[in-house]
Amino acid sequence: MKRNKLHSLLVFACVACALAAVGGGFSDSSHGLTDAEAGYIRQRQLLYYRDEFGDRGENVTVDPSLSFPNPRLRAAYIALQAWKQAILSDPRNLTGDWVGWNVCGYTGVFCARALDDPGVQVVAGIDLNHGDIAGYLPEELGLLTDLALFHINSNRFCGTVPQKFDKLKLLFELDLSNNRFAGKFPRVVLGLPALKFLDIRYNEFEGKVPRELFDKDLDAIFINHNRFSFDLPDNLGNSPVSVIVLANNRFRGCVPASLGNMSKTLNEIILMNNGLRSCLPPEIGLLKALTVLDVSYNELVGPLPESLAGLRSLEQLNVAHNLFSGKIPEDICAGIRRPQELLAGASGAEVGEPV
Ligand SMILES: *[C@@H]1O[C@H](CO)[C@@H](O)[C@H](O)[C@H]1NC(C)=O
Ligand SMILES: *[C@@H]1O[C@H](CO)[C@@H](O)[C@H](O)[C@H]1NC(C)=O
Ligand SMILES: *[C@@H]1O[C@H](CO)[C@@H](O)[C@H](O)[C@H]1NC(C)=O
């Protein structure tokens, strides 16, 4: 038993590392906000809530002496200058060179030919990952209508996702992870027609996750480590994602049987630490492409379904810290390619030593 526990911890550590690796690692060098900064953010937020949506207090005027290669880059200039005004701490000085007409030369800003007009350069990507920047996202970012990638992980952005993000019809990857965004699930993302990769993990979003999220044609959903709280909806299985990580929220309820509908696409599902109370549905055995299954730290009951033995692609299985009872189906161990990754143990299950 003791050894199992130790083993549990080890595998748990690996899963944690893997998660961190997926996230690109998070800087822990985040400086605390000073009182003045916090006060300023609060005031800006008040402005935001006072306006319906739109102006949060930025005031970009374009110097008439600036000339831009095309109107879209002029619009991008306005968006980026408004954003610069909404930034109150930039310890790495990443936006220090956000000056002048040449937005394609700004740090973290990437230009490409427009999809609908290869003759013009447009802003197609923003990457300010690990910038440790404090501030918020102004509505003017909706002017970046050619944006395909928006990556700002590991900063200190707070507030909400601007409503005008609904203008970003080409946005393909949205990574807001490891920031200080709060409030309800940013519904605006549900209306982004090109979105495939949604990563809002490690923020302070709360409340329900709209069930429409699982009807959306996404490839990856990372919403772990927030404060979401709701019952997993029965349409979860409609999602065509290959990776879904819901860990460390306060989801409740059952693991829906519709999960079995994800058999063609699902590679990884992590439902760890969510207060799930049900048994694991046998349909889980239909997930032939699954390589990672983690339902640890919930209150799942009943036996492990025999069908788990059918998961021939599985490399990591973590069912520890639940209320499972009975024996582990023998074939599970036979099925796992790297059996050292098998993790059961804890709380009542009769477990043999890991193979
Ligand atoms: C915006 O800035 C311009 C120039 O700095 C100033 O004249 C104008 O009054 C400002 N408008 C607002 C609403 O603050
Ligand atoms: C920030 O970067 C700009 C432009 O690269 C530079 O002019 C400025 O001196 C830098 N500021 C600090 C505090 O390093
Ligand atoms: C999805 O799963 C549910 C529950 O297992 C099932 O009733 C439904 O027919 C499935 N839908 C599709 C499209 O496979």
Side-chain angles (χ1 to χ4, degrees):
M1 200 62 205
K2 230 181 190 164
R3 218 183 119 188
N4 270 336
K5 267 222 171 98
L6 180 62
H7 185 73
S8 302
L9 280 175
L10 282 176
V11 177
F12 174 67
C14 291
V15 171
C17 290
L19 282 176
V22 172
F26 295 125
S27 137
D28 50 14
S29 68
S30 62
H31 310 249
L33 283 180
T34 65
D35 285 352
E37 285 172 341
Y40 180 79
I41 290 179
R42 260 198 304 280
Q43 197 205 338
R44 285 306 186 113
Q45 288 298 303
L46 280 177
L47 278 174
Y48 169 63
Y49 289 118
R50 213 177 287 149
D51 298 353
E52 193 183 354
F53 41 77
D55 185 25
R56 297 195 204 186
E58 303 77 42
N59 178 14
V60 177
T61 49
V62 183
D63 182 340
S65 73
L66 294 179
S67 94
F68 296 90
N70 64 63
R72 298 196 207 177
L73 289 178
R74 184 178 191 276
Y77 171 85
I78 293 171
L80 294 168
Q81 292 305 323
W83 197 8
K84 195 171 170 178
Q85 288 182 19
I87 285 173
L88 28 111
S89 165
D90 178 3
R92 295 176 53 201
N93 199 21
L94 295 178
T95 60
D97 63 2
W98 288 20
V99 177
W101 65 271
N102 186 16
V103 296
C104 295
Y106 290 8
T107 296
V109 176
F110 298 90
C111 290
R113 295 161 190 269
L115 287 183
D116 59 342
D117 185 355
V120 303
Q121 288 281 110
V122 292
V123 172
I126 300 278
D127 185 344
L128 290 175
N129 283 350
H130 300 278
D132 197 21
I133 294 170
Y136 63 93
L137 305 183
E139 292 287 343
E140 283 85 347
L141 288 175
L143 292 167
L144 297 170
T145 50
D146 294 287
L147 211 55
L149 311 180
F150 189 75
H151 292 181
I152 55 167
N153 95 47
S154 304
N155 283 284
R156 293 174 284 153
F157 288 107
C158 64
T160 55
V161 180
Q163 194 56 41
K164 294 250 165 71
F165 262 47
D166 64 1
K167 307 279 186 232
L168 308 184
K169 302 294 187 205
L170 303 178
L171 193 63
F172 185 79
E173 293 188 12
L174 178 60
D175 181 355
L176 306 179
S177 62
N178 200 28
N179 275 284
R180 296 179 182 170
F181 293 105
K184 293 183 179 158
F185 182 91
R187 288 194 72 97
V188 64
V189 305
L190 298 174
L192 298 176
L195 194 67
K196 288 287 178 191
F197 180 94
L198 176 65
D199 188 347
I200 59 171
R201 75 187 117 163
Y202 291 92
N203 277 290
E204 312 238 346
F205 289 113
E206 63 190 40
K208 296 184 172 177
V209 173
R211 56 183 282 128
E212 297 94 303
L213 179 65
F214 304 108
D215 292 327
K216 201 167 162 46
D217 183 15
L218 292 170
D219 184 47
I221 297 177
F222 296 91
I223 59 175
N224 48 299
H225 293 82
N226 277 286
R227 298 166 181 231
F228 291 123
S229 161
F230 80 137
D231 288 358
L232 279 182
D234 53 14
N235 70 332
L236 179 70
N238 289 353
S239 180
V241 288
S242 58
V243 180
I244 182 164
V245 184
L246 307 178
N248 292 288
N249 281 287
R250 292 171 210 152
F251 296 139
R252 304 171 303 259
C254 303
V255 179
S258 67
L259 209 63
N261 296 353
M262 303 167 87
S263 60
K264 292 214 169 62
T265 44
L266 190 63
N267 296 135
E268 294 185 25
I269 181 163
I270 300 183
L271 292 167
M272 169 187 156
N273 192 21
N274 267 305
L276 294 170
R277 286 183 191 190
S278 64
C279 42
L280 271 186
E283 287 80 357
I284 209 156
L286 298 171
L287 300 174
K288 301 296 181 201
L290 203 61
T291 56
V292 177
L293 170 61
D294 188 337
V295 295
S296 61
Y297 293 90
N298 283 294
E299 293 163 43
L300 298 170
V301 297
L304 287 175
E306 294 283 338
S307 63
L308 277 181
L311 299 180
R312 292 300 169 189
S313 309
L314 209 57
E315 293 171 5
Q316 274 186 28
L317 171 66
N318 192 342
V319 298
H321 301 279
N322 279 292
L323 306 171
F324 288 119
S325 54
K327 294 197 169 183
I328 294 186
E330 263 181 36
D331 288 351
I332 292 185
C333 303
I336 292 184
R337 276 207 229 130
R338 287 190 282 145
Q340 73 274 17
E341 302 284 7
L342 171 66
L343 173 56
S347 64
E350 260 180 56
V351 195
E353 291 289 306
V355 186

